[in-house]
Amino acid sequence: MHSEDGDLWEAFAHYNADADGTVNLTRDHSVGGSYSGCEAMGLFWGLQPAPGAREGLRLRKKNVETPYVVHVSLLEGHVSPSEEQSNELAAVTTERWYMAPGVRRIEIRKDGVIGTLFLPPGTGPFPGMLDLWGMGGGLVEYRSALFASRGYASLSVAYIGHKELPGPQNKINVGDSYFKSAFHLLQDHHQVCADRIGIIGLSFGVYLTLRLATNIGVKPSCLICVNGPVGSTIKLSDDDGRTENFEGDQKYWMYDDQGHVSFRAVSLPANLSPESKVKIENLTCPLMYIVGEDDLSSSSIENADLIEETLRAAGKSQLFTRLSYPGAGHLIEPPYSPNSRSSLWSVKPKKLITLWGGHLAPHAAAQEDAWKKILDFMENNLRR
């Protein structure tokens, strides 16, 4: 398949057909290629940039109103991706959609908030999710589109690196009132259940989720935190949560022998600015924290430990659930999409590749398991 940027991604696997020439991916084992074993969706999570591709690619859906178009073919005597095209015995094209039929996508530019609201088919009212991503910035819509496809109104919000936000783009120039406005915008929507709203955050979005949930006037029903810190990894420029420039303090940046950067040490609890740390003991709703044990971008295990210890000391252990996945990296996303162990972070002022961690097969297993458990957690806390 080609990404929206035109890059070719491919995966392949070797199967032995049964007596009548059939291969069943839900039953049969791959004996080689991009993955091995019985992996029904291996051809999808095993996708990697084709040989000769640009460095630092990461597969992410930008326009959720169009599908990915995937070409699946059966080749005779195919051994490796670099060889000439083998004889194609059969082929099929399949589409991967992020929006179920009837889901509505609504651009939000209200009360200063830059976001996209996805509503399920029907009149509702629906339980809601506020969707916060990390310091990669921009407006990321695919998780919200998938939540709406499963019956939740979901609002994805941009807070850094978006041309319609106050500049410059390498710092956070919106504060607590911005995120409160986003939460209340979702809460006040006539098709949303005002008292059944959760917040999900990945990476720096975890800090924002925790900060928002302990803020006066915001009462979420549940929180889902994926691989992120309890405090700000960037120096705050004011009490409202705005930050200095992201590249300003590189004290804890670590580089591997290829010159790729890991931000892991930046978010060790001891390295977070004390004044930014969220008062976890003030949490009043259930929190699911998801850990990728091979996370090279965030000190997820240490932050999960701190949250668990703080809630235990406050007599609130019952609020905390931890999912922990060996071999999974930082970017635990919706399932059946390939992990990037590293990808391009920035081109200016210099080209920088960042390390995310995670190995293809265990990361894929983590995404599949975590997604089921995220949906169960939302069901239990937002619908019952």
Side-chain angles (χ1 to χ4, degrees), residues 47-176:
L47 286 165
Q48 290 295 284
R54 297 182 295 145
E55 187 185 19
L57 295 179
R58 176 181 169 196
L59 189 64
R60 304 185 85 186
K61 195 78 180 81
K62 292 174 182 170
N63 178 3
V64 295
E65 294 185 294
T66 61
Y68 278 137
V69 178
V70 187
H71 184 79
V72 185
S73 51
L74 178 63
L75 304 175
E76 189 172 34
H78 179 268
V79 180
S80 79
S82 54
E83 69 186 51
E84 288 301 306
Q85 186 73 31
S86 311
N87 182 28
E88 189 174 76
L89 302 176
V92 66
T93 297
T94 185
E95 294 181 345
R96 296 206 68 201
W97 286 88
Y98 284 75
M99 282 172 69
V103 168
R104 288 155 292 163
R105 177 185 176 275
I106 301 155
E107 291 189 8
I108 300 294
R109 303 292 186 272
K110 190 179 175 195
D111 302 336
V113 174
I114 308 295
T116 308
L117 175 65
F118 290 87
L119 292 172
T123 55
F126 309 105
M129 286 297 290
L130 183 63
D131 189 4
L132 300 171
W133 288 80
M135 290 298 292
L139 184 52
V140 183
E141 298 185 354
Y142 50 88
R143 189 165 59 191
S144 279
L146 289 169
F147 283 150
S149 300
R150 284 157 181 80
Y152 297 89
S154 190
L155 174 62
S156 185
V157 174
Y159 62 87
I160 189 174
H162 191 286
K163 62 181 186 298
E164 292 177 64
L165 289 167
Q169 289 198 16
N170 63 346
K171 53 199 258 193
I172 298 175
N173 302 300
V174 295
D176 292 332

Side-chain angles (χ1 to χ4, degrees), residues 33 38 46 83 164 250 286 311 313:
C38 184
E83 69 186 51
E164 292 177 64
Q250 301 183 14
L311 289 174

Side-chain angles (χ1 to χ4, degrees), residues 129-253:
M129 286 297 290
L130 183 63
D131 189 4
L132 300 171
W133 288 80
M135 290 298 292
L139 184 52
V140 183
E141 298 185 354
Y142 50 88
R143 189 165 59 191
S144 279
L146 289 169
F147 283 150
S149 300
R150 284 157 181 80
Y152 297 89
S154 190
L155 174 62
S156 185
V157 174
Y159 62 87
I160 189 174
H162 191 286
K163 62 181 186 298
E164 292 177 64
L165 289 167
Q169 289 198 16
N170 63 346
K171 53 199 258 193
I172 298 175
N173 302 300
V174 295
D176 292 332
S177 59
Y178 178 86
F179 297 101
K180 281 172 93 163
S181 291
F183 186 87
H184 290 141
L185 206 142
L186 186 59
Q187 198 172 40
D188 295 343
H189 194 283
H190 67 283
Q191 287 181 273
V192 175
C193 306
D195 59 347
R196 294 180 175 225
I197 296 175
I199 312 174
I200 184 167
L202 171 94
S203 195
F204 194 83
V206 166
Y207 164 57
L208 296 173
T209 295
L210 296 170
R211 185 177 171 111
L212 182 57
T214 51
N215 222 302
I216 308 295
V218 175
K219 286 195 79 68
S221 296
C222 65
L223 309 177
I224 299 159
C225 295
V226 185
N227 289 328
V230 298
S232 181
T233 48
I234 319 161
K235 192 168 189 294
L236 298 184
S237 59
D238 66 17
D239 293 341
D240 206 30
R242 293 173 182 83
T243 69
E244 302 285 348
N245 154 353
F246 176 72
E247 296 86 19
D249 183 0
Q250 301 183 14
K251 185 165 137 191
Y252 298 115
W253 291 21

Side-chain angles (χ1 to χ4, degrees), residues 183-382:
F183 186 87
H184 290 141
L185 206 142
L186 186 59
Q187 198 172 40
D188 295 343
H189 194 283
H190 67 283
Q191 287 181 273
V192 175
C193 306
D195 59 347
R196 294 180 175 225
I197 296 175
I199 312 174
I200 184 167
L202 171 94
S203 195
F204 194 83
V206 166
Y207 164 57
L208 296 173
T209 295
L210 296 170
R211 185 177 171 111
L212 182 57
T214 51
N215 222 302
I216 308 295
V218 175
K219 286 195 79 68
S221 296
C222 65
L223 309 177
I224 299 159
C225 295
V226 185
N227 289 328
V230 298
S232 181
T233 48
I234 319 161
K235 192 168 189 294
L236 298 184
S237 59
D238 66 17
D239 293 341
D240 206 30
R242 293 173 182 83
T243 69
E244 302 285 348
N245 154 353
F246 176 72
E247 296 86 19
D249 183 0
Q250 301 183 14
K251 185 165 137 191
Y252 298 115
W253 291 21
M254 315 280 279
Y255 294 86
D256 70 4
D257 50 13
Q258 292 174 278
H260 298 171
V261 67
S262 165
F263 301 131
R264 194 184 176 286
V266 178
S267 62
L268 279 166
N271 296 340
L272 297 168
S273 59
E275 70 278 7
S276 77
K277 282 189 187 167
V278 173
K279 290 186 166 51
I280 299 293
E281 62 275 14
N282 293 344
L283 276 181
T284 56
C285 69
L287 161 63
M288 174 184 273
Y289 192 106
I290 298 169
V291 174
E293 293 179 19
D294 187 43
D295 188 343
L296 298 179
S297 189
S298 182
S299 300
S300 308
I301 296 171
E302 294 85 349
N303 279 276
D305 289 346
L306 179 59
I307 294 170
E308 187 166 22
E309 287 156 16
T310 306
L311 289 174
R312 189 187 302 127
K316 296 180 176 181
S317 291
Q318 76 284 359
L319 295 180
F320 187 73
T321 303
R322 182 194 311 222
L323 305 180
S324 197
Y325 297 103
H330 186 63
L331 303 170
I332 297 177
E333 302 200 69
Y336 316 129
S337 55
N339 178 49
S340 291
R341 190 165 174 80
S342 62
S343 73
L344 188 66
W345 178 258
S346 63
V347 275
K348 291 177 182 175
K350 64 172 186 174
K351 183 179 178 184
L352 201 57
I353 301 265
T354 190
L355 297 166
W356 304 115
H359 299 279
L360 266 183
H363 192 92
Q367 290 193 149
E368 186 170 2
D369 187 72
W371 183 245
K372 287 193 184 105
K373 286 175 177 162
I374 284 169
L375 295 175
D376 286 346
F377 184 75
M378 288 163 59
E379 177 79 24
N380 290 334
N381 289 289
L382 299 176

